[in-house]
């Protein structure tokens, strides 16, 4: 079955710098890749997603890239701000198959002032 | 819409007691998911339903855990008997699906369970 690995587990960056979180997946049939953000004590919330027919997607300061050949996808946050501090989860799934998301272990992003 | 509603928000119980967690999904959503989150194991899918029918319960840790969805607006996750290692935050999430495309999973606020 599908396995998703996420790195790093913790990432500390200076406010204003960029942050990159990477995920790899094992099942080449996976075609849907969402990213969720979970602030301390709160619920996970979708921030961006990408499908396998697209190589990159942007939404203001966040972007996701997908490399199907290498089976990895990444979250990029530019001009980081204190409110970006959170745990970020990647996930993967096969849209035409079951509806189950396979989750990465999460990355704790710390924005230093 | 009020979003996904979970109750209780916090539960403290003693080992051996029965615990029932409740979830009301967003109206019109036909998928409901139960997750457990701990520091050690991260976010784990326990079970999910489609149109009130359990589809995959392979994540349910053992027979002490059971889940039901008697109608489209209500689901329960029951632990009987509870053990200290069940202490975690339990999230319920709901979603709908258009054709073969995923839509966002909306999470509830979670229930923080502590078993003493």
């Amino acid at each position: 079955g599908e396995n998703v690995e996420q790195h790093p587990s913790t990432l500390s960056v200076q406010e204003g710098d960029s942050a990159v979180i990477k995920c790899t997946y094992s099942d080449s049939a996976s075609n849907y890749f969402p990213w969720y953000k979970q602030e301390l004590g709160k619920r996970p919330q979708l921030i961006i997603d990408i499908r396998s027919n697209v190589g990159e997607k942007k939404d203001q300061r966040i972007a996701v890239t997908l490399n199907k050949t290498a089976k990895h996808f990444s979250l990029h946050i530019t001009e980081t701000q204190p409110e970006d501090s959170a745990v970020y989860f990647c996930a993967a799934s096969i849209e035409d198959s079951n509806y189950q998301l396979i989750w990465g272990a999460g990355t704790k992003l710390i924005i230093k002032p | 819409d009020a979003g996904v509603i979970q109750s209780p928000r916090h539960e403290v119980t003693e080992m051996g007691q029965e615990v029932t967690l409740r979830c009301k999904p967003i109206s019109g959503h036909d998928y409901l998911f139960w997750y457990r989150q701990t520091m050690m194991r991260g976010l784990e899918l326990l079970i999910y339903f489609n149109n009130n029918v359990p589809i995959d319960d392979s994540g349910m840790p053992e027979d002490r855990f059971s889940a039901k969805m008697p109608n489209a607006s209500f689901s329960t996750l029951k632990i009987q008997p509870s053990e200290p290692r069940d202490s975690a935050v339990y999230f319920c999430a709901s979603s709908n699906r258009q054709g073969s495309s995923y839509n966002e999973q909306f999470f509830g606020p979670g229930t923080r369970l502590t078993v003493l």
Side-chain angles (χ1 to χ4, degrees):
Chain A
E2 174 68 287
N3 182 52
V4 175
E5 295 190 356
Q6 185 171 348
H7 300 280
S9 57
T10 304
L11 178 61
S12 183
V13 301
Q14 205 69 38
E15 182 179 348
D17 289 350
S18 296
V20 181
I21 302 170
K22 300 180 180 180
C23 289
T24 60
Y25 60 99
S26 59
D27 191 340
S28 58
S30 290
N31 55 8
Y32 175 68
F33 308 92
W35 286 87
Y36 282 74
K37 175 184 179 182
Q38 185 179 25
E39 297 178 1
L40 185 64
K42 301 291 182 62
R43 70 196 79 184
Q45 291 185 292
L46 179 71
I47 55 171
I48 195 168
D49 57 13
I50 191 168
R51 290 178 167 84
S52 59
N53 59 346
V54 175
E56 183 176 5
K57 185 176 180 181
K58 290 183 179 180
D59 183 2
Q60 299 182 350
R61 295 187 298 107
I62 61 173
V64 57
T65 58
L66 172 65
N67 183 325
K68 290 186 291 184
T69 302
K71 290 189 283 189
H72 68 70
F73 55 111
S74 300
L75 178 71
H76 304 253
I77 306 174
T78 58
E79 301 174 9
T80 54
Q81 301 171 3
E83 54 264 36
D84 296 328
S85 294
V87 177
Y88 292 82
F89 293 95
C90 64
S93 191
I94 305 171
E95 279 195 300
D96 292 336
S97 181
N98 64 54
Y99 199 34
Q100 184 173 335
L101 291 175
I102 307 301
W103 296 82
T107 296
K108 183 177 182 179
L109 177 61
I110 300 167
I111 307 300
K112 296 181 292 185
Chain B
D1 199 315
V4 176
I5 298 173
Q6 289 187 248
S7 65
R9 294 292 308 276
H10 302 274
E11 177 81 24
V12 180
T13 190
E14 293 187 346
M15 182 174 62
Q17 296 298 305
E18 177 180 297
V19 175
T20 300
L21 311 181
R22 297 174 175 79
C23 176
K24 176 179 168 56
I26 292 172
S27 176
H29 283 189
D30 54 354
Y31 283 84
L32 184 139
F33 306 82
W34 281 102
Y35 290 93
R36 176 172 69 177
Q37 186 174 38
T38 62
M39 289 295 293
M40 291 298 295
R41 294 188 298 270
L43 196 60
E44 302 173 276
L45 176 66
L46 301 177
I47 184 171
Y48 76 95
F49 296 82
N50 176 217
N51 291 322
N52 314 336
V53 176
I55 302 301
D56 187 346
D57 65 354
S58 59
M60 295 286 262
E62 48 197 274
D63 291 345
R64 297 184 297 106
F65 286 69
S66 63
K68 294 181 179 180
M69 192 166 186
N71 57 62
S73 59
F74 183 67
S75 177
T76 60
L77 178 68
K78 186 174 294 186
I79 307 172
Q80 166 64 19
S82 58
E83 297 182 3
R85 60 193 168 120
D86 301 330
S87 297
V89 178
Y90 291 81
F91 286 104
C92 174
S94 73
S95 184
N96 60 3
R97 189 168 178 175
Q98 295 170 332
S100 63
S101 296
Y102 278 104
N103 285 324
E104 177 179 355
Q105 288 190 20
F106 291 86
F107 283 75
T111 295
R112 182 173 294 277
L113 173 65
T114 302
V115 183
L116 302 174

